[in-house]
Amino acid sequence: MKQGQATLVVLSGDVEADGAFVSIDGYTGEMVFEEGVGWVGFVPITRLANPRLYHVVVDVFNEGSYSRTFVSELLVESVPGVIDEVVLDPDNAALLAPELVAIDNETRFEQYTQPTGPRMWSGPWRLPVVGEPSGDFGVMRSYNGGPVRDWHHGYDISADAGTVIVAPARGRVVFATDLPVHGSGVILDHGAGVYSGYWHMSEIQAEVGQLVNPGDPLGLVGSTGVSTGPHLHWEVIVQGTDVDPIQWTETVFSS
Ligand SMILES: [Zn+2]
């Protein structure tokens, strides 16, 4: 697998446990029990992870004792660091002030790190909007000729303003409001520690608490926040780490 992707770790069978955690090289994530499957945990590999071989282990806790199981090895391959030179007008550039970026990050990641329930979807996800791909996950970014200061934490799809953005997979709406940098947006909780975010909308069409199925409307494509034209900035977050959304449209995370 590659930097910025996620993998599903399964401890199959009817393992008696109060809880289970999956670990890779300093990362630890809680697993959830799925009837007939076992303990499952999605593991994110960060965009900036060292490309090398990792060991996956699962710790199972039961009645005050725990046991560690070596599950597998995982080879992480590097993704080339392409640099995207973004040109922003002064109004947009002013919105990239550190204190505004901090508001966006704190608000989003407060949601993205909440504990979740069981996995709510099955099968590959659909694309949330029909349009042109306009920004890959993980490309390095410089603004107005400055140094590379960040990488792209989502996947961009350009579309006409007003195009409907739909849920790509089953989930629950946990956030629907405006942020200075990401603009108007919606966050879905898909269970199993997986969240997705939809940003720069011109109009939000979903309410917090609502259960959505694939194809249900979330809002309309717009250019709110820091944006150079109408597009969707789509994020997928696993256990608090941004991963490449496109993987989720191509992969069946089978148990
Ligand atoms: Zn984007």
Side-chain angles (χ1 to χ4, degrees), residues 135 141 152 154-156 200 231-234:
R141 280 197 161 164
H152 189 220
Y155 181 82
D156 290 345
H200 306 302
H231 77 286
L232 168 68
H233 173 84
W234 179 26

Side-chain angles (χ1 to χ4, degrees), residues 48-59:
L48 303 178
N50 252 330
R52 62 172 175 83
L53 196 64
Y54 289 83
H55 288 198
V56 181
V57 297
V58 170
D59 290 319

Side-chain angles (χ1 to χ4, degrees), residues 120-138:
M120 296 170 72
W121 82 97
S122 61
W125 294 14
R126 56 181 286 173
L127 283 169
V129 71
V130 178
E132 286 294 316
S134 58
D136 284 342
F137 173 86

Side-chain angles (χ1 to χ4, degrees), residues 73-237:
E73 288 181 331
L74 188 69
L75 181 64
V76 174
E77 297 169 65
S78 68
V79 174
V82 177
I83 297 178
D84 183 14
E85 312 251 359
V86 181
V87 178
L88 294 177
D89 62 38
D91 287 352
N92 263 321
L95 284 171
L96 282 180
E99 61 272 23
L100 295 179
V101 172
I103 291 173
D104 270 56
N105 288 342
E106 282 164 22
T107 310
R108 280 156 50 250
F109 279 87
E110 191 187 336
Q111 291 296 332
Y112 291 150
T113 52
Q114 295 294 320
T116 63
R119 184 161 37 154
M120 296 170 72
W121 82 97
S122 61
W125 294 14
R126 56 181 286 173
L127 283 169
V129 71
V130 178
E132 286 294 316
S134 58
D136 284 342
F137 173 86
V139 295
M140 304 297 152
R141 280 197 161 164
S142 98
Y143 295 93
N144 293 344
V148 171
R149 57 180 263 180
D150 202 359
W151 49 278
H152 189 220
H153 294 254
Y155 181 82
D156 290 345
I157 302 171
S158 292
D160 290 339
T163 306
V164 178
I165 298 163
V166 300
R170 197 155 179 269
R172 188 174 297 281
V173 180
V174 292
F175 181 95
T177 190
D178 305 335
L179 291 175
V181 178
H182 285 72
S184 298
V186 166
I187 293 175
L188 300 181
D189 168 6
H190 300 283
V194 179
Y195 285 90
S196 60
Y198 307 81
W199 302 101
H200 306 302
M201 290 177 175
S202 62
E203 187 184 315
I204 292 171
Q205 296 183 328
E207 284 177 19
V208 171
Q210 189 185 338
L211 188 66
V212 290
N213 285 304
D216 287 350
L218 301 177
L220 304 180
V221 170
S223 194
T224 54
V226 177
S227 169
T228 54
H231 77 286
L232 168 68
H233 173 84
W234 179 26
E235 298 179 313
V236 175
I237 283 80

